[in-house]
Amino acid sequence: MEKYFGINQNHFISLRVTMKFLIFILSCILSLSTSAMSAKYRGGDVKILMKNNNICFYVEEDNLKGEYELNIFHKESFEKVFQYASSFEKSYPNQKKCIEVKKNIFNHKSIYTAVIDTGYTNFGKDFCLFGSNDNRIGEYNGRNCVPEE
């Protein structure tokens, strides 16, 4: 029987199959973790706009049902700065009937996270305000507050 590196041929073939299998499993795990990290919120982004000099939050998803809650946190301290609860049947947060929040509760130098949680999916976004007299809402890109496109 032939030997490779002091290992007989049958064991060598078995090791190669095992290594190929382990590489396959590892690539599957890496692929899943990459796709999981790319979608921060299962439902997608919370949409944010200015309305009546307030900040307005909504989702573009249609046909959601049940209860939901909008929570806004200070990103660095995780302190909750705003909370609103309702149901989609009573008050659907779309662009026309978005959830208005007074602009003055936000510090223009801070980053916030807005999350609309339905219990079965959630929508979220990190955002900031450019200045106290500036009505532009920025998107936090991990380093800076940048204008939304």
Side-chain angles (χ1 to χ4, degrees), residues 69-102:
E69 201 171 89
L70 167 64
N71 290 293
I72 302 173
F73 301 92
H74 190 276
K75 186 161 180 68
E76 294 168 356
S77 68
F78 298 109
E79 176 186 348
K80 191 180 291 186
V81 295
F82 182 82
Q83 182 175 21
Y84 173 84
S86 188
S87 72
F88 290 103
E89 292 77 16
K90 290 180 191 173
S91 177
Y92 205 101
N94 57 30
Q95 190 169 2
K96 286 185 179 180
K97 297 185 288 182
C98 54
I99 303 164
E100 288 190 50
V101 179
K102 298 278 185 209

Side-chain angles (χ1 to χ4, degrees), residues 8-133:
N8 72 37
Q9 185 178 8
N10 291 339
H11 284 89
F12 189 74
I13 292 170
S14 176
L15 283 173
R16 285 182 55 198
V17 169
T18 301
M19 289 300 289
K20 285 182 179 182
F21 179 73
L22 289 174
I23 290 170
F24 172 75
I25 294 296
L26 184 60
S27 67
C28 288
I29 290 170
L30 289 174
S31 172
L32 288 173
S33 66
T34 302
S35 64
M37 287 188 292
S38 65
K40 190 172 183 180
Y41 297 98
R42 176 179 276 168
D45 283 347
V46 167
K47 304 300 180 188
I48 306 171
L49 57 84
M50 293 299 291
K51 184 176 182 179
N52 303 323
N53 207 31
N54 294 321
I55 302 176
C56 218
F57 300 87
Y58 67 98
V59 295
E60 288 185 331
E61 183 80 22
D62 292 330
N63 302 319
L64 295 170
K65 295 185 187 318
E67 305 290 315
Y68 70 87
E69 201 171 89
L70 167 64
N71 290 293
I72 302 173
F73 301 92
H74 190 276
K75 186 161 180 68
E76 294 168 356
S77 68
F78 298 109
E79 176 186 348
K80 191 180 291 186
V81 295
F82 182 82
Q83 182 175 21
Y84 173 84
S86 188
S87 72
F88 290 103
E89 292 77 16
K90 290 180 191 173
S91 177
Y92 205 101
N94 57 30
Q95 190 169 2
K96 286 185 179 180
K97 297 185 288 182
C98 54
I99 303 164
E100 288 190 50
V101 179
K102 298 278 185 209
K103 182 179 161 185
N104 63 1
I105 70 168
F106 300 103
N107 179 342
H108 71 274
K109 295 180 180 178
S110 297
I111 309 297
Y112 297 92
T113 300
V115 178
I116 294 178
D117 187 7
T118 66
Y120 54 88
T121 192
N122 55 26
F123 303 82
K125 187 169 199 166
D126 295 337
F127 72 98
C128 49
L129 301 179
F130 279 105
S132 54
N133 295 324

